[in-house]
Amino acid sequence: MSTAADRLKRHFRLVPDFPKPGIVFYDIAPLLVDPDVWQTTLESLAPLVRAYDGSVLAGIEARGFLLAAGLAHLLHCGVIMVRKKNKLPGNVTRHTYDLEYGSDCIEVQNDMVAAGTKVVVVDDVLATGGTLKASVKLLTSIGLEVRGAVALLELTSLRGRSNVTCPLSTLIQVAE
């Protein structure tokens, strides 16, 4: 008998050489298009999120938004967005972080939730862990209590877990 995670794993579409040569992109679109698979995805992730006891989910751009919104509906909690620079209106706090080649910048609206709010970070894929680590640092910098992070898929060979600075749960693990 296979687990829900085993069944969901079959629905990822692997796209070679995207977004650049040598990268295999794990596309979650097939999980979204089938309502039964999407429901199973959210119901399988919900216990992982619930374990961290957050009242707000922070979805990381862009697929993390989809997961966070669906999970927030199931778990009756709020959602905030961690986005690329210059994508959010109003008062924002930014965090610039280093990538393997260059740097990137993420931001969050800093007046959406009160300091001390318990937050769970949600993303689709944990690869090297750089964006997740930066997201935790950003959310903490505005006074939020990051209780943990949840990712749908973890690419274990990239060892991103070692870069994450908060408790972490992943539903599916694959070694590339």
Side-chain angles (χ1 to χ4, degrees), residues 65-120:
F65 297 165
L66 300 169
L67 292 166
L71 288 163
H73 176 74
L74 281 179
L75 300 172
H76 193 72
C77 55
V79 178
I80 57 174
M81 298 176 287
V82 177
R83 295 212 63 185
K84 303 264 184 196
K85 185 178 178 181
N86 297 323
K87 299 289 184 181
L88 291 171
N91 296 321
V92 298
T93 298
R94 292 190 176 107
H95 177 70
T96 301
Y97 61 103
D98 293 327
L99 299 169
E100 188 175 349
Y101 300 103
S103 64
D104 207 348
C105 183
I106 54 174
E107 60 187 23
V108 66
Q109 291 168 309
N110 56 30
D111 57 358
M112 288 291 117
V113 293
T117 299
K118 296 175 183 177
V119 177
V120 179

XYZ file of all heavy atoms in Angstrom, residues 65-120:
426
model
N 2.767 30.538 -2.568
C 1.504 31.258 -2.348
C 0.324 30.307 -2.491
O -0.632 30.354 -1.722
C 1.289 32.373 -3.376
C 2.285 33.486 -3.387
C 2.325 34.337 -4.473
C 3.173 33.709 -2.348
C 3.213 35.392 -4.524
C 4.070 34.749 -2.381
C 4.091 35.595 -3.483
N 0.371 29.480 -3.528
C -0.736 28.568 -3.814
C -0.916 27.575 -2.674
O -2.034 27.344 -2.204
C -0.485 27.823 -5.124
C -0.343 28.700 -6.365
C 0.172 27.887 -7.542
C -1.665 29.366 -6.694
N 0.189 26.996 -2.250
C 0.121 26.036 -1.145
C -0.344 26.709 0.143
O -1.213 26.194 0.848
C 1.483 25.377 -0.943
C 1.934 24.440 -2.059
C 3.408 24.111 -1.920
C 1.091 23.176 -2.071
N 0.230 27.861 0.449
C -0.126 28.566 1.683
C -1.600 28.956 1.688
O -2.281 28.805 2.713
C 0.753 29.797 1.875
N -2.113 29.437 0.577
C -3.523 29.844 0.524
C -4.451 28.647 0.725
O -5.424 28.724 1.481
C -3.824 30.536 -0.797
N -4.164 27.549 0.059
C -4.991 26.354 0.233
C -4.935 25.818 1.653
O -5.957 25.439 2.235
N -3.736 25.787 2.215
C -3.569 25.308 3.589
C -4.239 26.241 4.593
O -4.847 25.780 5.562
C -2.084 25.145 3.904
C -1.415 23.957 3.220
C 0.104 24.121 3.242
C -1.847 22.656 3.865
N -4.132 27.539 4.363
C -4.768 28.507 5.267
C -6.273 28.310 5.292
O -6.906 28.423 6.348
C -4.411 29.927 4.852
N -6.841 28.005 4.143
C -8.278 27.738 4.085
C -8.628 26.506 4.927
O -9.573 26.540 5.722
C -8.731 27.551 2.637
C -10.164 27.194 2.501
N -11.173 28.096 2.700
C -10.753 26.016 2.207
C -12.342 27.497 2.527
N -12.108 26.232 2.231
N -7.860 25.441 4.772
C -8.114 24.212 5.535
C -7.919 24.404 7.038
O -8.662 23.853 7.842
C -7.169 23.098 5.080
C -7.493 22.348 3.806
C -6.414 21.311 3.523
C -8.851 21.680 3.886
N -6.900 25.185 7.391
C -6.509 25.312 8.790
C -7.060 26.564 9.472
O -6.777 26.805 10.641
C -4.976 25.294 8.889
C -4.315 24.021 8.354
C -2.806 24.179 8.308
C -4.723 22.818 9.185
N -7.796 27.339 8.727
C -8.405 28.570 9.235
C -7.353 29.503 9.856
O -7.383 29.813 11.046
C -9.522 28.274 10.236
C -10.362 29.478 10.544
N -11.242 30.005 9.640
C -10.435 30.264 11.631
C -11.827 31.059 10.162
N -11.342 31.252 11.369
N -6.408 29.909 9.011
C -5.400 30.878 9.450
C -5.138 31.858 8.305
O -5.645 31.675 7.202
C -4.121 30.181 9.919
S -3.373 29.068 8.745
N -4.370 32.883 8.590
C -4.088 33.910 7.605
C -2.889 33.575 6.729
O -2.178 32.595 6.971
N -2.678 34.425 5.724
C -1.561 34.253 4.788
C -0.887 35.591 4.553
O -1.564 36.616 4.378
C -2.045 33.723 3.413
C -0.885 33.603 2.438
C -2.763 32.401 3.547
N 0.436 35.585 4.559
C 1.213 36.723 4.079
C 2.127 36.215 2.977
O 2.380 35.011 2.872
C 2.019 37.427 5.205
C 2.951 36.451 5.905
C 1.084 38.111 6.179
C 3.869 37.117 6.932
N 2.591 37.143 2.151
C 3.406 36.768 0.998
C 4.842 37.250 1.152
O 5.076 38.404 1.501
C 2.812 37.362 -0.273
C 1.414 36.854 -0.590
S 0.699 37.670 -2.040
C 0.328 39.286 -1.368
N 5.772 36.362 0.849
C 7.186 36.712 0.729
C 7.450 36.775 -0.775
O 7.342 35.772 -1.464
C 8.098 35.665 1.405
C 9.565 36.016 1.190
C 7.775 35.543 2.886
N 7.749 38.001 -1.258
C 7.838 38.231 -2.700
C 9.185 38.788 -3.113
O 9.944 39.277 -2.294
C 6.764 39.243 -3.133
C 5.368 38.708 -2.944
C 4.413 39.214 -3.951
N 4.769 38.782 -5.298
C 4.127 39.171 -6.388
N 3.127 40.017 -6.295
N 4.480 38.736 -7.567
N 9.420 38.730 -4.412
C 10.595 39.378 -4.992
C 10.467 40.889 -4.827
O 9.373 41.423 -4.666
C 10.718 39.036 -6.479
C 10.783 37.555 -6.756
C 12.172 37.095 -6.895
C 12.157 35.612 -7.277
N 13.410 34.992 -7.078
N 11.576 41.581 -4.913
C 11.638 43.027 -4.724
C 10.693 43.772 -5.675
O 10.541 43.413 -6.837
C 13.082 43.490 -4.961
C 13.330 44.936 -4.695
C 14.794 45.260 -4.903
C 15.058 46.730 -4.689
N 16.480 47.040 -4.911
N 10.065 44.816 -5.124
C 9.183 45.728 -5.875
C 7.904 45.083 -6.401
O 7.352 45.530 -7.396
C 9.950 46.395 -7.026
C 11.074 47.258 -6.523
O 10.963 47.921 -5.489
N 12.192 47.243 -7.242
N 7.423 44.067 -5.721
C 6.174 43.419 -6.131
C 5.035 43.667 -5.147
O 3.901 43.335 -5.437
C 6.377 41.903 -6.268
C 7.399 41.490 -7.300
C 6.898 41.744 -8.682
C 7.895 41.228 -9.696
N 7.472 41.473 -11.062
N 5.345 44.233 -3.980
C 4.319 44.471 -2.968
C 4.136 45.966 -2.729
O 5.121 46.697 -2.640
C 4.725 43.810 -1.639
C 4.733 42.293 -1.611
C 5.360 41.796 -0.306
C 3.326 41.740 -1.773
N 2.892 46.414 -2.598
C 2.650 47.825 -2.288
C 2.775 48.086 -0.789
O 2.802 47.169 0.026
C 1.197 48.016 -2.740
C 0.565 46.678 -2.491
C 1.653 45.668 -2.807
N 2.822 49.350 -0.444
C 2.787 49.742 0.965
C 4.124 49.627 1.655
O 5.185 49.641 1.025
N 4.052 49.508 2.970
C 5.252 49.425 3.795
C 5.852 48.028 3.706
O 5.200 47.058 4.082
C 4.914 49.748 5.249
C 4.431 51.162 5.415
O 4.941 52.082 4.788
N 3.409 51.342 6.245
N 7.075 47.946 3.219
C 7.735 46.654 3.080
C 9.102 46.680 3.755
O 9.719 47.736 3.905
C 7.906 46.232 1.602
C 6.559 46.083 0.913
C 8.788 47.197 0.836
N 9.529 45.520 4.160
C 10.891 45.315 4.635
C 11.552 44.363 3.657
O 10.943 43.359 3.256
C 10.904 44.736 6.064
O 10.282 45.679 6.937
C 12.327 44.466 6.544
N 12.766 44.676 3.267
C 13.508 43.875 2.286
C 14.672 43.160 2.942
O 15.229 43.614 3.938
C 14.046 44.772 1.187
C 12.975 45.362 0.326
C 13.557 46.053 -0.906
N 12.451 46.503 -1.731
C 12.086 47.771 -1.860
N 12.747 48.722 -1.237
N 11.059 48.080 -2.615
N 15.042 42.059 2.305
C 16.234 41.318 2.730
C 16.958 40.849 1.473
O 16.376 40.158 0.631
C 15.859 40.122 3.599
C 17.028 39.295 4.011
N 17.972 39.745 4.905
C 17.419 38.061 3.635
C 18.897 38.810 5.058
N 18.571 37.778 4.307
N 18.209 41.239 1.345
C 19.044 40.802 0.220
C 19.920 39.657 0.712
O 20.458 39.697 1.815
C 19.917 41.960 -0.295
O 19.035 43.022 -0.710
C 20.777 41.539 -1.464
N 20.037 38.640 -0.111
C 20.816 37.464 0.275
C 21.607 36.946 -0.918
O 21.268 37.207 -2.066
C 19.909 36.373 0.855
C 18.849 35.849 -0.100
C 18.991 34.627 -0.730
C 17.687 36.576 -0.359
C 18.027 34.144 -1.594
C 16.709 36.110 -1.216
C 16.887 34.883 -1.832
O 15.929 34.417 -2.688
N 22.667 36.222 -0.604
C 23.559 35.696 -1.635
C 23.046 34.378 -2.180
O 22.524 33.538 -1.439
C 24.970 35.503 -1.074
C 25.638 36.810 -0.727
O 25.375 37.811 -1.413
O 26.424 36.831 0.246
N 23.219 34.237 -3.482
C 22.950 32.983 -4.166
C 24.289 32.391 -4.604
O 25.341 33.012 -4.432
C 22.068 33.235 -5.398
C 20.698 33.839 -5.134
C 20.056 34.284 -6.432
C 19.821 32.819 -4.434
N 24.224 31.217 -5.198
C 25.456 30.596 -5.681
C 26.175 31.523 -6.663
O 27.384 31.658 -6.628
C 25.128 29.261 -6.351
C 26.351 28.461 -6.717
C 25.997 27.092 -7.257
O 24.827 26.663 -7.156
O 26.906 26.450 -7.784
N 25.398 32.183 -7.519
C 25.953 33.136 -8.487
C 25.151 34.424 -8.401
O 24.104 34.548 -9.008
C 25.877 32.583 -9.919
C 26.640 31.300 -10.089
C 25.980 30.082 -10.147
C 28.029 31.306 -10.148
C 26.673 28.899 -10.300
C 28.738 30.131 -10.295
C 28.054 28.928 -10.367
O 28.761 27.764 -10.510
N 25.601 35.377 -7.608
C 24.925 36.662 -7.499
C 24.148 36.785 -6.199
O 24.475 36.170 -5.191
N 23.079 37.594 -6.256
C 22.256 37.811 -5.074
C 20.807 37.998 -5.506
O 20.510 38.153 -6.684
C 22.739 39.039 -4.302
O 22.578 40.198 -5.076
N 19.922 37.988 -4.528
C 18.504 38.201 -4.774
C 17.951 39.008 -3.601
O 18.613 39.182 -2.581
C 17.763 36.870 -4.907
C 16.519 36.973 -5.778
O 16.087 38.102 -6.092
O 15.972 35.920 -6.147
N 16.741 39.489 -3.770
C 16.117 40.305 -2.728
C 14.652 39.893 -2.609
O 13.960 39.736 -3.619
C 16.223 41.784 -3.100
S 15.553 42.895 -1.849
N 14.213 39.697 -1.372
C 12.815 39.390 -1.103
C 12.267 40.451 -0.156
O 13.030 41.141 0.511
C 12.630 37.984 -0.502
C 13.510 37.800 0.743
C 12.868 36.911 -1.544
C 13.290 36.496 1.481
N 10.953 40.556 -0.128
C 10.324 41.534 0.756
C 8.993 41.006 1.267
O 8.424 40.060 0.719
C 10.151 42.879 0.057
C 9.296 42.854 -1.177
C 9.289 44.183 -1.926
O 10.220 44.978 -1.782
O 8.329 44.404 -2.676
N 8.548 41.648 2.349
C 7.267 41.315 2.961
C 6.631 42.622 3.427
O 7.333 43.561 3.799
C 7.457 40.316 4.130
C 8.233 40.930 5.272
C 6.138 39.754 4.616
N 5.313 42.686 3.362
C 4.611 43.852 3.903
C 4.731 43.792 5.413
O 4.316 42.818 6.039
C 3.153 43.848 3.453
C 3.027 44.109 1.962
C 1.640 43.824 1.450
O 1.097 42.763 1.705
N 1.072 44.775 0.711
N 5.318 44.819 6.003
C 5.649 44.767 7.420
C 4.538 45.252 8.341
O 4.723 45.286 9.557
C 6.953 45.535 7.696
C 6.896 46.958 7.233
O 5.833 47.579 7.210
N 8.040 47.487 6.851
N 3.395 45.601 7.772
C 2.295 46.083 8.609
C 1.042 45.207 8.498
O -0.045 45.630 8.846
C 1.955 47.531 8.251
C 1.601 47.713 6.779
O 1.653 46.728 6.007
O 1.270 48.844 6.399
N 1.220 43.975 8.053
C 0.073 43.079 7.878
C -0.287 42.337 9.149
O -1.460 42.063 9.399
C 0.347 42.048 6.771
C 0.340 42.623 5.378
S -1.321 43.144 4.880
C -1.063 44.890 4.671
N 0.719 41.957 9.936
C 0.465 41.216 11.169
C 1.310 41.800 12.290
O 2.375 42.382 12.045
C 0.738 39.698 11.015
C -0.258 39.059 10.067
C 2.143 39.430 10.544
N 0.861 41.635 13.501
C 1.531 42.214 14.669
C 2.808 41.453 15.008
O 2.906 40.245 14.782
C 0.581 42.182 15.868
N 3.752 42.169 15.557
C 4.971 41.545 16.068
C 4.583 40.458 17.063
O 3.593 40.589 17.792
C 5.858 42.585 16.740
N 5.319 39.374 17.048
C 5.042 38.261 17.939
C 4.102 37.218 17.351
O 3.918 36.147 17.935
N 3.506 37.514 16.201
C 2.611 36.561 15.559
C 3.384 35.294 15.205
O 4.508 35.350 14.705
C 1.986 37.173 14.287
O 1.226 38.328 14.662
C 1.082 36.192 13.569
N 2.753 34.149 15.447
C 3.369 32.854 15.147
C 3.142 32.516 13.676
O 2.000 32.451 13.212
C 2.773 31.771 16.028
C 3.052 31.977 17.501
C 2.345 30.936 18.328
C 2.561 31.181 19.807
N 1.829 30.209 20.627
N 4.251 32.299 12.954
C 4.210 32.106 11.506
C 4.832 30.767 11.130
O 5.825 30.346 11.724
C 4.990 33.243 10.803
C 5.038 33.035 9.300
C 4.369 34.591 11.122
N 4.246 30.131 10.115
C 4.827 28.942 9.496
C 5.111 29.305 8.038
O 4.229 29.793 7.328
C 3.879 27.728 9.567
C 4.513 26.511 8.885
C 3.520 27.419 11.004
